[in-house]
Amino acid sequence: MNDKPVVVLGAGPAGLAAAHELSRKRIQPVVIEKADKVGGIARTETYRGYHFDIGGHRFFTKMEKINRLWQEMLGDDFLNVLRISRIYYKGRYYDYPLRIFNTFFNLGLLESLLILMSYFKTQLRPHTEEVNFEQWVSNRFGNRLFNTFFKTYTEKVWGIPCNEISSEWAAQRIKGLSLITALTNSLLGIQNAKSLISTFNYPLMGPGMMWQRFRDAIEANGGEVRLNSEVIRLRRDNSNIVSVFHKKNGVAAEILNGHVISSLPITQLVGMLDPRPPDNVVEAAGKLSYRAFIIVMLILDKKDLFPDQWIYVHNPEVKVGRIQNFKNWSAAMVPDTDKTSIGMEYFCNVQDETWKKPDTELADIASRELSELGLAETGDVTDRWVVRQPYAYPVYDQDYDRHLKVVIDYLGTIDNLQTIGRNGMHRYLSLIHI
């Protein structure tokens, strides 16, 4: 290290964690963040005293060091929450994690038998390749259960057919699960998979509370967090980035840096490098994509709506993919105990038809779909608010790894650059597990 600062690009969980570790080692970082608050996709938005979690973020780790750090940051404001979540499919609610008797009762005897027959058929004649999501899941759960509980929701989230999604996505997110292990776990009450934990931690006022405490600690240790600051150019000299240009309130500034740690979307990072990278690197970066989503916040004149923190909506008849009930994450997020605040999540691409809809139309759709699902009446909605989130999820299409390798190999030639986090590595990694 030298006397020049380490510049951290992005104040999401990964960027703040890196800056915090540096500041604890008496290395003063400068964090540059485009938004007006820290936390990235794990921030907390507020509207008229209501707190909204952008995406639904559970805090869970098996690393005691990380758990101690979180506890150090929040203390008594770090709640222990009993998980309640369900799947809505064809007018019925299924416990998730799946519970064998609840699932079989909802499906009925005939459908349950057909699912078991489909599973055993797949075990006898599995897909010989596991290149895509459909093949990977079908080999472990059978084709019929894949079509029931995986296909519709997955295609809502990613906007592409399951046979165009890399099997690596499934292997990473539901590793170690199969129909037999799911049934065994259900009967024995075991949740081995991280995504199926029964309890989790959660900040009293939403996940942004954690990241604001990280920011406070960074600044107390001599670091700096610059909000409303957009990175516009990274000037290179041979194999090093020598300065970072950014703009705040229309005024440009240059930081002569020592090292650069980036959690920005890797596609953006490539475009900021000056001199410009070779054409094949720029082309490869352009073929990496991200899924966006829109969350419509609804405030309802109802004290209680449903017990879940969130519901996965598998029905193709409605566009909503997931529904959050913020009072059930933490009651403190809803200032009026006689009201309920709901987040209706819509997965889309930036500039597609859904993304370009005006806020009023999106709010009307969300209110109508909440009613169509039988969860509330449109007349219960007293207020609405819309938040758009680009660069939410790196897309695991079947060619992403080939393009990503070209980009990563090139960035590896820059000696003082490190990419981190979900967007910086273009991998669905979680410091907090969703």
Side-chain angles (χ1 to χ4, degrees), residues 358-393:
D359 288 359
T360 52
E361 185 177 349
L362 288 167
D364 288 342
I365 291 170
S367 300
R368 184 177 68 250
E369 291 191 343
L370 190 67
S371 176
E372 289 174 0
L373 294 169
L375 295 172
E377 299 296 329
T378 54
D380 296 329
V381 179
T382 60
D383 209 346
R384 303 100 63 90
W385 191 47
V386 176
V387 174
R388 287 170 166 79
Q389 179 62 49
Y391 299 105
Y393 309 115

Side-chain angles (χ1 to χ4, degrees), residues 46 53 59 66-67 71 83 94 124 181 217 247 278-279 286 331-332 352 362 389 418 430:
T46 57
D53 185 343
F59 285 69
I66 300 300
N67 190 56
Q71 294 289 344
R83 169 186 177 151
Y94 295 78
L124 292 172
T181 56
K247 185 182 295 185
D279 290 344
D352 71 7
L362 288 167
Q389 179 62 49
Q418 182 178 350
S430 300

